Amino acid sequence: MTNLSGSVYRAVVNGVPFVVPLLLQDGFGWSPAEAGLMLTWVFVGNLGVKPFTTPLLRRFAVIPIVTVSTVGLAATFVGAALVTAETSPVVIALVLLASGVFRSVGFTAYNTLQFADVPPERLGAANALSSITGQLAVGLGVALTALVVRIADGVLGTTGVGDPTGYRIALIVLAALALVSIVEGLRLPRGTGASLRAAPR
């Protein structure tokens, strides 16, 4: 179940680096360089919070961390869907920065959780399963996001050029899917990942 909810989460977060630059370029008329530079704020947040993720996992239960990070991530997707061509670049950068922070915390929590209670003799098989599902989730996230954009444009009769509606709908769908991953996470057995908090400091 951890791999299922974690795979949904990975698919969702991997759709963002695909759809956000398109939203900025096609929807708002930014240049590829401008859109690419703005996207780097996701990864600034991602890397900037890394030193704090291990202390978080040792201080707090992992399921609440996963829940909070996923809700926060979904909120940033909605925030990105609400920005317009007139929105201040500073505001857009802050939304993407927060998205990167929640993305990183959730990734680390899921990646750690799926190995936390695995017996040593089964770690090899668990690692293989994690690698396979992780790669599938990456491809699925991009493919699903592209499909949602294409369907939205087809239904609405838009082309995406000068009209960000399809990209906004894709971000809302990604937010909804992120919340779906919480449902699976909350069904995990009580005490899952408790060994993480007992790890040496």
Side-chain angles (χ1 to χ4, degrees), residues 32-123:
E34 290 172 330
L37 284 173
M38 183 58 73
L39 183 66
T40 60
W41 285 105
V42 171
F43 302 103
V44 169
N46 197 335
L47 294 174
V49 77
K50 281 297 183 189
F52 305 100
T53 52
T54 297
L56 275 173
L57 288 170
R58 290 180 177 173
R59 174 66 179 83
F60 301 102
V62 68
I63 300 303
I65 291 176
V66 166
T67 302
V68 171
S69 63
T70 305
V71 171
L73 186 72
T76 64
F77 291 169
V78 174
L82 293 176
V83 301
T84 68
E86 289 73 38
T87 301
S88 167
V90 174
V91 173
I92 298 175
L94 288 174
V95 170
L96 296 180
L97 179 70
S99 184
V101 169
F102 289 121
R103 165 195 175 106
S104 181
V105 173
F107 253 132
T108 302
Y110 270 119
N111 288 341
T112 305
L113 179 61
Q114 63 185 342
F115 297 110
D117 300 319
V118 177
E121 66 274 12
R122 300 183 64 181
L123 282 174

Side-chain angles (χ1 to χ4, degrees), residues 115-117 191-200:
F115 297 110
D117 300 319
T192 297
S195 59
L196 298 174
R197 301 177 69 187

